[in-house]
Amino acid sequence: EVQLVQSGAEVKKPGESLKISCKGSGYTFANYWLGWVRQMPGKGLEWMGIIYPGDSDTRYSPSFQGQVTISADKSISTAYLQWSSLKASDTAMYYCARRVGATPWFDPWGQGTLVTVSS
Amino acid sequence: QSVLTQPPSVSGAPGQRVTISCTGSSSNIGAGYDVHWYQHLPGTAPKLLIYGNSNRPSGVPDRFSGSKSGTSASLAITGLQAEDEADYYCQSYDSSLSGSVFGGGTKLTVL
């Protein structure tokens, strides 16, 4: 079974750094693009960016370029999303999802990581 | 403001049929990029419902169907059931943004 398992919920203060993870199993992790999606409280889904773990080729949505860093370690089938200095507006649920197909869709999705940034 | 536009909410009684629209532009749906649909229940991971405009993954009931025409796409749900109450999102690719885009989401209420 293809599965993505994300790290647990985080509570941080503004200005702190954070790295959350997404571990894939049941498929060749290096061979599929993996994306990150944000859902702010009461809002919809926003595509943040994607990474190809095979060579760490990374693409960002213009809205998130420079705001976060996406990385991956194919040796442990894990992708990461990190912030160097969190803001209260980063409070959201973050999902990872495997990108599939030529006109790509996302399947499956991780269970989500809730990030709360509050002083 | 989402790149793809969906109605904020739709509703229907059990057994009825509802449709959810997804309107894009010439840089995404209108450019020929496929539309995909997801069902999102509170507290769970989004689930792929339709891919490639009209294809259902294994396990998705045939009560769910998708279509695409021009710069728009639609998700139809027939024989509404209480368990269908969820948020539904369309997704495509946008050439001007060089990345995936989502609709704003539609909350389906089963009356």
Side-chain angles (χ1 to χ4, degrees):
Chain A
E1 178 196 6
V2 176
Q3 199 171 8
L4 296 171
V5 177
Q6 298 184 228
S7 50
E10 301 274 2
V11 179
K12 292 288 189 178
K13 290 181 167 39
E16 292 186 330
S17 63
L18 176 64
K19 192 174 191 177
I20 63 175
S21 67
C22 169
K23 184 174 176 60
S25 62
Y27 72 102
T28 304
F29 185 78
N31 291 355
Y32 288 82
W33 290 86
L34 189 128
W36 287 94
V37 176
R38 181 177 79 175
Q39 184 175 36
M40 298 178 74
K43 302 296 185 182
L45 304 175
E46 300 173 88
W47 179 77
M48 301 176 71
I50 51 171
I51 187 165
Y52 189 74
D55 61 6
S56 291
D57 185 6
T58 308
R59 318 280 171 84
Y60 292 93
S61 162
S63 298
F64 291 92
Q65 180 81 48
Q67 307 305 306
V68 297
T69 301
I70 295 171
S71 60
D73 183 343
K74 63 183 179 182
S75 70
I76 55 172
S77 301
T78 301
Y80 303 96
L81 178 65
Q82 69 181 90
W83 296 259
S84 58
S85 180
L86 286 160
K87 303 184 283 286
S89 57
D90 293 316
T91 294
M93 182 71 84
Y94 293 87
Y95 295 99
C96 63
R98 187 182 70 160
R99 198 184 87 162
V100 185
T103 52
W105 59 90
F106 294 97
D107 183 57
W109 294 58
Q111 83 277 19
T113 296
L114 180 62
V115 174
T116 303
V117 184
S118 174
S119 55
Chain B
Q1 201 80 349
S2 300
V3 173
L4 305 179
T5 300
Q6 298 180 231
S9 63
V10 297
S11 62
Q16 285 190 331
R17 177 182 188 268
V18 296
T19 61
I20 298 172
S21 62
C22 174
T23 302
S25 67
S26 58
S27 62
N28 41 69
I29 300 174
Y33 295 107
D34 286 348
V35 178
H36 321 292
W37 292 89
Y38 303 88
Q39 180 189 59
H40 192 196
L41 295 157
T44 69
K47 171 189 169 185
L48 179 68
L49 205 59
I50 297 287
Y51 67 94
N53 304 319
S54 59
N55 301 290
R56 283 186 310 276
S58 172
V60 173
D62 60 6
R63 301 186 297 104
F64 295 90
S65 63
S67 63
K68 173 192 159 185
S69 178
T71 58
S72 295
S74 289
L75 172 71
I77 310 171
T78 59
L80 265 182
Q81 300 180 3
E83 66 205 49
D84 298 334
E85 192 160 284
D87 295 323
Y88 292 84
Y89 293 89
C90 60
Q91 177 247 315
S92 187
Y93 181 87
D94 191 284
S95 58
S96 64
L97 297 173
S98 298
S100 296
V101 288
F102 286 95
T106 298
K107 182 174 182 59
L108 168 63
T109 300
V110 180
L111 302 170

